[in-house]
Amino acid sequence: MRTGAISYERIEQTAFIGADGLAKLQSKRVAVLGLGNIGGQLARHLAMLGVKLTLVDCGLVERQNLATQGYETVDLGTPKVSPTERNLKAINPDCSVNPIFSEFRRLGAAALQVADLVLCCFDSLADRLLVNERCWRLGTPWIDAAIDGTGRLLYGKVVLHDPGSTEGPCYLCRWDQHGLQEALRLERERAEQAGNGARGCANWRFEFNRGELSPPTLSISSLGGVIGGIQSLAAIDFLLARTEPSVAGNEISVEFSHHPYSMRVCQLRRNRHCLFDHQRFRLVAAEDDLATLTVGRLFDIAEKQLGVPVTLQFHDRELITRLRCPGCTNHLEPFKLAEVIQEEELICSCGATRRAGGLDRVRSFTREQARPFLERTCGELGLPNSDVVSATNGSENVDILIG
């Protein structure tokens, strides 16, 4: 038995984990995305085992969270990651906890490459789509958990997505284009009807990511606890590699709305016509940091790998090359990502609000097109650490890891 602030004796005596399994779990790092009804409870299960945790959430504790997410009144107004970290360290001082207070999409595309497993507890379809893309590009397995948030059903589900499985599906495999667009539209409408417009993207800067809004989750903590428990069991099972063949694509759903209660396991399959290409990053690390790595240097790295000419492309980001004033001829050339442009930059001296038209919003570009901002650094553009800029010559690709 180990000595220290917490005793694992009873865990080590279980057949499911045992001493060797516990040591293996404690060598792993798991990222928990979203600290709401599911994620906050899930994190406690893993912390008690000593699993290394990375917590990602952009929310502040609000009064409506107290009845469903286990926060305390003293936590009101603080980032959810802060009291969660404090509580987890109180439960197990030996547990490594790395809190990240940020919107997930503002993190670098490769920010989670250090995680052995990602556990998604977001309530937004758009967030799940982004988690799916980033995890698949990195080859990182992830487990999605969701509960019915309409307040009408006591229903939840958990499903494992493993890029290492040749037959396992990604999150997008279940959708066709029409169904996906309709689901995003309905989610946005429910969010707007619930009065969550303040979080939304009426602002042109976020129109390319219109799924950012999500309706509030109307449920009770008990359901989140059940689903978080199932998700944690699936995580332990996967990290210990107890199941062969892989359980990738196993969707576990539970229903407590009516008697008799039900639990169902459904095997999902890879869609060969999926909207997502299931490709991995071919990462090449840039030696420079954000403060010194210029756009010109990115082209140099890409051209060394692929020859010339090449085209560079951002992932889920737009570079704003010009802000135009509708009230006068004044304009601004910020050469920044849309999400980092400040409100004061939008206001023209004439009082009107500057906007960026379609041709002023760039996601891919050649060296010639980048001539006005070749000397700008990635930091000046607003790219985050561990982001990825991809390059192609038309037949081959390379992905440059920055920061």
Side-chain angles (χ1 to χ4, degrees), residues 19-285:
D20 292 341
L22 183 63
K24 186 174 183 178
L25 288 175
Q26 292 178 344
S27 72
K28 302 295 185 180
R29 177 160 293 278
V30 172
V32 178
L33 311 182
L35 298 175
N37 196 334
I38 300 173
Q41 301 185 75
L42 164 70
R44 290 178 176 84
H45 295 311
L46 299 177
M48 284 187 279
L49 295 173
V51 178
K52 300 172 186 175
L53 296 175
T54 295
L55 310 176
V56 180
D57 197 292
C58 66
L60 303 177
V61 178
E62 301 175 345
R63 289 200 174 274
Q64 55 265 39
N65 301 143
L66 303 184
T68 60
Q69 299 178 16
Y71 294 103
E72 303 175 19
T73 54
V74 294
D75 302 327
L76 288 170
T78 64
K80 290 182 180 180
V81 294
S82 298
T84 302
E85 178 192 19
R86 183 185 67 241
N87 292 338
L88 296 183
K89 297 295 287 186
I91 292 171
N92 186 355
D94 297 330
C95 180
S96 169
V97 182
N98 175 30
I100 300 177
F101 177 52
S102 172
E103 293 180 29
F104 178 70
R105 68 180 182 83
R106 297 223 178 173
L107 299 181
L112 297 182
Q113 65 176 331
V114 297
D116 297 289
L117 180 66
V118 171
L119 303 180
C120 179
C121 308
F122 286 143
D123 56 6
S124 161
L125 172 56
D127 283 336
R128 286 186 170 90
L129 296 175
L130 187 55
V131 172
N132 181 73
E133 178 178 355
R134 291 186 176 182
C135 285
W136 214 273
R137 298 288 188 216
L138 293 169
T140 303
W142 69 288
I143 301 177
D144 185 37
I147 58 178
D148 179 80
T150 65
R152 295 190 294 268
L153 298 173
L154 290 175
Y155 169 83
K157 62 183 179 181
V158 173
V159 60
L160 168 67
H161 300 285
D162 182 8
S165 170
T166 57
E167 294 299 321
C170 80
Y171 183 79
L172 261 174
C173 280
R174 72 187 70 190
W175 302 93
D176 60 21
Q177 186 68 45
H178 174 75
L180 179 61
Q181 293 301 321
E182 181 66 9
L184 287 168
R185 183 187 67 80
L186 290 174
E187 180 175 274
R188 183 172 182 80
E189 285 184 357
R190 290 197 302 270
E192 291 174 342
Q193 290 169 3
N196 280 10
R199 289 183 53 206
C201 41
N203 192 309
W204 59 267
R205 286 180 289 170
F206 303 113
E207 287 174 358
F208 70 94
N209 187 14
R210 294 193 62 83
E212 185 183 8
L213 272 178
S214 62
T217 299
L218 307 180
S219 190
I220 57 176
S221 63
S222 304
L223 182 59
V226 170
I227 297 303
I230 294 174
Q231 190 180 22
S232 68
L233 287 171
I236 293 167
D237 192 41
F238 182 81
L239 290 172
L240 294 180
R242 295 180 66 254
T243 306
E244 290 293 340
S246 172
V247 293
N250 273 6
E251 181 179 84
I252 305 168
S253 58
V254 295
E255 172 74 66
F256 298 102
S257 306
H258 311 285
H259 291 283
Y261 299 154
S262 66
M263 179 174 181
R264 184 182 68 172
V265 179
C266 177
Q267 179 64 51
L268 307 179
R269 297 293 183 184
R270 177 78 63 89
N271 179 1
R272 302 302 173 187
H273 303 287
C274 181
L275 298 172
F276 182 60
D277 59 21
H278 300 143
Q279 296 300 306
R280 307 275 191 89
F281 280 140
R282 178 190 164 199
L283 289 176
V284 174

Side-chain angles (χ1 to χ4, degrees), residues 246-377:
S246 172
V247 293
N250 273 6
E251 181 179 84
I252 305 168
S253 58
V254 295
E255 172 74 66
F256 298 102
S257 306
H258 311 285
H259 291 283
Y261 299 154
S262 66
M263 179 174 181
R264 184 182 68 172
V265 179
C266 177
Q267 179 64 51
L268 307 179
R269 297 293 183 184
R270 177 78 63 89
N271 179 1
R272 302 302 173 187
H273 303 287
C274 181
L275 298 172
F276 182 60
D277 59 21
H278 300 143
Q279 296 300 306
R280 307 275 191 89
F281 280 140
R282 178 190 164 199
L283 289 176
V284 174
E287 297 179 359
D288 312 68
D289 60 23
L290 287 173
T292 59
L293 181 63
T294 65
V295 175
R297 175 63 180 148
L298 287 175
F299 276 103
D300 293 340
I301 296 171
E303 289 164 356
K304 182 177 180 180
Q305 297 285 327
L306 303 174
V308 292
V310 297
T311 299
L312 298 186
Q313 179 178 337
F314 296 126
H315 287 273
D316 300 291
R317 308 191 193 281
E318 286 187 339
L319 182 72
I320 304 304
T321 59
R322 179 170 294 192
L323 290 169
R324 304 174 188 270
C325 176
C328 66
T329 58
N330 191 9
H331 68 270
L332 187 68
E333 295 182 341
F335 299 116
K336 294 181 182 178
L337 299 182
E339 62 239 46
V340 302
I341 291 180
Q342 302 300 305
E343 293 298 327
E344 53 266 26
E345 296 178 86
L346 300 178
I347 306 302
C348 180
S349 57
C350 73
T353 301
R354 299 187 180 103
R355 295 179 59 87
L359 296 178
D360 307 320
R361 300 155 67 169
V362 176
R363 302 189 76 172
S364 62
F365 45 88
T366 64
R367 184 184 279 271
E368 178 61 29
Q369 291 168 332
R371 186 181 297 276
F373 54 94
L374 278 176
E375 299 306 314
R376 294 288 182 98
T377 68

